[in-house]
Amino acid sequence: MMKNKRNIFNDYPAMNKAFFAVLLSLILSLNACQQGPEYRFQDEPKVVSCPEMSEDFMHELLYSFREDIGAFYNQYTDYIKGSRSYYFEAYGQYVYFGFSGTARFDDIASDHSRALLQELRKEKDFWIIKDKQERLNYNHPYLICLIDGIADDDLRLALQNLRQAKSLTPELIAETMRINVQKVISDPNLSMYLALDGFYQPLINRSAKK
C-alpha cells in the first residue's frame, strides 16, 4: 500500500507556517515592485528607433504623455479621441507651455505617467543637476540619437549646436518649437524630445518643490 504523501507544512508548528506565509507574501510583493508599472500602449506603432534605452519603455513614455495632453486639452472640444484633430489640438496648445515650463503639469500628468517617470529617474546617467534642478543629460547616448535623428535640418542643427555649446534648455527653444508645432507633431523624434524635456523633466522639479 502506498503511503500518503506528506504535506511539508504539517511538519512545522503554526508559527513556522505563519513565517512562510509572510515570506511568500514578501517575495510576491518584491517581484511586483521589480516589474514596475504596467504597459498600456504597446499595441500602438513604435515610432522612435534609438537602441540606447528600452524601446518598449520609451514608447510607453511617449504615448502616455500624448494621451495625457490629449485628455487635458480636449476637455471642451468636440474632437473624437484618437483622431488627428484631437492630438493636433493637444500638441498645438501644449508645445510652448511645456517647453517654457509654464504648463499645468500637475493637472495634466496621469498616475501612469508619474509611475513611468519614477522608473525613468532610476536611469542615473539620464539626468544631471543644473541650477539646482534635475535636467536631462544631453550627452546621454539616447538623447544624442534622438536629436541627431530629427528630420528637419534647421531644427536638428539648432538643437545640435545648442547641445555642443552646452546652452540647450527647453525654455530657450520654447518659442522656436511653438512656431514649428506642425513639425513637432509630424516628427516622432521631436515629439519624444518634447515629452522628455517639456513634460517629464519639469514634472520632476515641480514634484521636488512640494
Side-chain angles (χ1 to χ4, degrees):
M1 181 180 296
M2 294 181 61
K3 295 183 178 179
N4 292 332
K5 292 183 178 179
R6 296 172 61 188
N7 185 332
I8 61 171
F9 282 99
N10 290 334
D11 293 338
Y12 296 92
M15 184 176 295
N16 283 342
K17 291 180 184 178
F19 170 77
F20 282 113
V22 171
L23 181 61
L24 179 60
S25 177
L26 179 61
I27 291 172
L28 292 174
S29 297
L30 289 173
N31 285 337
C33 291
Q34 291 173 352
Q35 290 173 359
E38 63 173 331
Y39 287 174
R40 301 175 181 175
F41 305 108
Q42 295 303 302
D43 291 337
E44 299 286 350
K46 289 186 169 60
V47 291
V48 176
S49 180
C50 281
E52 292 79 5
M53 294 280 284
S54 166
E55 184 179 37
D56 288 346
F57 177 70
M58 301 307 289
H59 171 87
E60 191 74 13
L61 282 170
L62 175 60
Y63 277 90
S64 188
F65 158 70
R66 187 185 74 157
E67 294 306 315
D68 284 0
I69 63 171
F72 184 81
Y73 288 102
N74 283 283
Q75 295 178 78
Y76 307 108
T77 75
D78 296 325
Y79 297 128
I80 298 171
K81 181 178 180 179
S83 68
R84 178 178 176 82
S85 297
Y86 179 87
Y87 295 115
F88 192 93
E89 174 72 14
Y91 275 94
Q93 293 282 346
Y94 183 80
V95 167
Y96 176 80
F97 297 111
F99 277 122
S100 66
T102 57
R104 292 170 56 183
F105 300 104
D106 293 330
D107 297 324
I108 296 170
S110 63
D111 289 342
H112 185 56
S113 288
R114 292 177 187 277
L116 292 169
L117 176 57
Q118 292 311 309
E119 289 297 307
L120 185 61
R121 293 185 72 185
K122 295 176 183 178
E123 296 289 335
K124 298 302 182 184
D125 293 340
F126 209 78
W127 308 97
I128 60 171
I129 301 299
K130 183 178 180 180
D131 298 328
K132 298 182 180 180
Q133 289 191 327
E134 204 164 338
R135 297 277 191 165
L136 292 182
N137 175 13
Y138 300 119
N139 291 318
H140 188 280
Y142 182 87
L143 291 164
I144 291 175
C145 172
L146 193 67
I147 292 173
D148 290 352
I150 291 170
D152 184 83
D153 290 339
D154 291 337
L155 288 177
R156 183 180 66 255
L157 288 172
L159 291 176
Q160 287 174 331
N161 289 337
L162 287 170
R163 182 184 65 200
Q164 291 171 4
K166 298 182 179 180
S167 300
L168 179 56
T169 65
E171 297 88 351
L172 184 63
I173 62 171
E175 180 60 20
T176 299
M177 292 301 178
R178 184 192 68 79
I179 295 171
N180 291 279
V181 63
Q182 292 190 17
K183 294 175 183 178
V184 175
I185 296 170
S186 61
D187 185 344
N189 280 45
L190 276 173
S191 294
M192 178 69 86
Y193 176 64
L194 168 63
L196 292 172
D197 219 7
F199 180 66
Y200 290 107
Q201 179 267 123
L203 189 58
I204 289 176
N205 296 303
R206 286 190 63 82
S207 300
K209 293 178 181 178
K210 294 183 176 181

